[in-house]
Amino acid sequence: ERKWGTCSSPLTVDGKLIINPGGKDASLVALDPKTGKEVWKTPGKPASYGSFISGVFGGKLQIVGYDLDSIGGWDVKSGKRLWRLAPEYDSKFNVPTPIQVGDRLLIALENNGTRLYQFKANGEIDPKPVAKHRDLSPDSHTPVVVGNRVFGIWSRFYCLDLKSGLEQVWDSDDRAFGKYGVLVASEKRVLAITLEGELILLDPLAAKFDPISRGKVFADEAGLYSHPAFVGTRMYVRGSSSLVCVELMA
């Protein structure tokens, strides 16, 4: 069972607020965001630590995320579970957020690497992945997708090609990257925030790891796990004991 309490973010979809308390009779619950009244609840397993997403897969709008020991999809209107997929290898945390890539689903998971799945016409996942990358196997970091590339951190920094079966474009053993990092992406840039509070700006189309700029925003930081917040041209980064505001340049 969970050791660290509720970690997932609430999800809004189709006028409903989705939470995952992980109760035997209320594994997932949909609430009316205006009144807080229950719309539906569905039985199932205890909750995991990851957040849910919503998207159309196999022609069906569904909620996708982890419970204690599997990833699944749930019907948005009724809460009915549509499919279940257990990791091939044991995963204790199930933290990284699944990523929608067109009509496919990208999953990066501890001990299981990064895998790309497609869906059947009835909205169920095809359990056989269409592509795999063994080494990008984060326990809590969520990769990002920019165009046809996947960027992720797991002891190294990886860039993978979605159109070539998750083939590795490049990787870097730069000392800044350990077991975790935060990535934020736009169409033209990827920003990495390391555990030690270093900001590293990258061109997502570059042929190798070649930072555009980099610099530390904390003098003495060893465990920066929080995601930044953006307000206009400013970025707010919370470290272990302080908050830093950075002005972003065009």
Side-chain angles (χ1 to χ4, degrees):
E1 295 185 359
R2 293 186 303 184
K3 296 180 180 179
W4 297 292
T6 299
C7 300
S8 64
S9 300
L11 172 69
T12 56
V13 55
D14 193 33
K16 301 175 182 66
L17 177 65
I18 310 300
I19 57 174
N20 62 322
K24 183 178 180 180
D25 297 320
S27 182
L28 249 64
V29 176
L31 304 174
D32 183 329
K34 294 181 180 180
T35 65
K37 291 183 178 179
E38 180 185 300
V39 178
W40 53 252
K41 64 180 179 180
T42 186
K45 295 287 187 72
S48 189
Y49 301 106
S51 293
F52 286 71
I53 65 169
S54 63
V56 176
F57 300 98
K60 193 172 187 64
L61 177 63
Q62 50 188 285
I63 300 159
V64 175
Y66 290 99
D67 60 14
L68 182 66
D69 58 8
S70 68
I71 188 169
W74 288 261
D75 180 70
V76 172
K77 291 185 178 181
S78 67
K80 178 184 176 182
R81 187 156 188 172
L82 303 172
W83 54 269
R84 177 183 185 275
L85 180 66
E88 182 178 2
Y89 303 105
D90 182 52
S91 175
K92 296 180 180 179
F93 304 114
N94 298 336
V95 176
T97 305
I99 303 169
Q100 183 175 10
V101 182
D103 57 357
R104 297 180 174 185
L105 188 69
L106 186 73
I107 299 173
L109 193 62
E110 174 196 17
N111 299 328
N112 288 270
T114 298
R115 303 181 180 203
L116 185 64
Y117 292 89
Q118 61 187 3
F119 284 75
K120 302 174 185 178
N122 63 356
E124 292 184 11
I125 199 168
D126 183 339
K128 184 178 179 180
V130 295
K132 299 180 185 180
H133 186 276
R134 181 187 62 185
D135 296 330
L136 179 54
S137 191
D139 61 9
S140 51
H141 156 83
T142 298
V144 295
V145 173
V146 182
N148 292 316
R149 290 186 170 185
V150 179
F151 296 88
I153 297 169
W154 183 243
S155 298
R156 307 171 75 88
F157 195 110
Y158 291 95
C159 174
L160 314 179
D161 189 341
L162 276 169
K163 281 199 168 182
S164 298
L166 295 178
E167 179 180 345
Q168 190 165 300
V169 179
W170 53 256
D171 72 325
S172 172
D173 61 356
D174 190 285
R175 61 177 180 78
F177 301 109
K179 296 292 187 181
Y180 183 80
V182 175
L183 295 180
V184 181
S186 69
E187 293 181 357
K188 297 182 178 180
R189 293 290 184 265
V190 174
L191 177 65
I193 306 174
T194 73
L195 279 170
E196 294 182 351
E198 184 176 10
L199 306 184
I200 302 176
L201 189 64
L202 302 163
D203 178 354
L205 298 179
K208 62 180 180 179
F209 177 75
D210 184 19
I212 297 170
S213 63
R214 62 191 301 172
K216 293 197 70 173
V217 292
F218 294 95
D220 186 18
E221 177 62 59
L224 196 159
Y225 286 91
S226 63
H227 283 253
F230 295 87
V231 181
T233 59
R234 293 185 173 184
M235 179 175 70
Y236 296 83
V237 185
R238 180 175 59 84
S240 300
S241 58
S242 60
L243 178 70
V244 172
C245 176
V246 179
E247 184 73 36
L248 301 174
M249 305 296 290

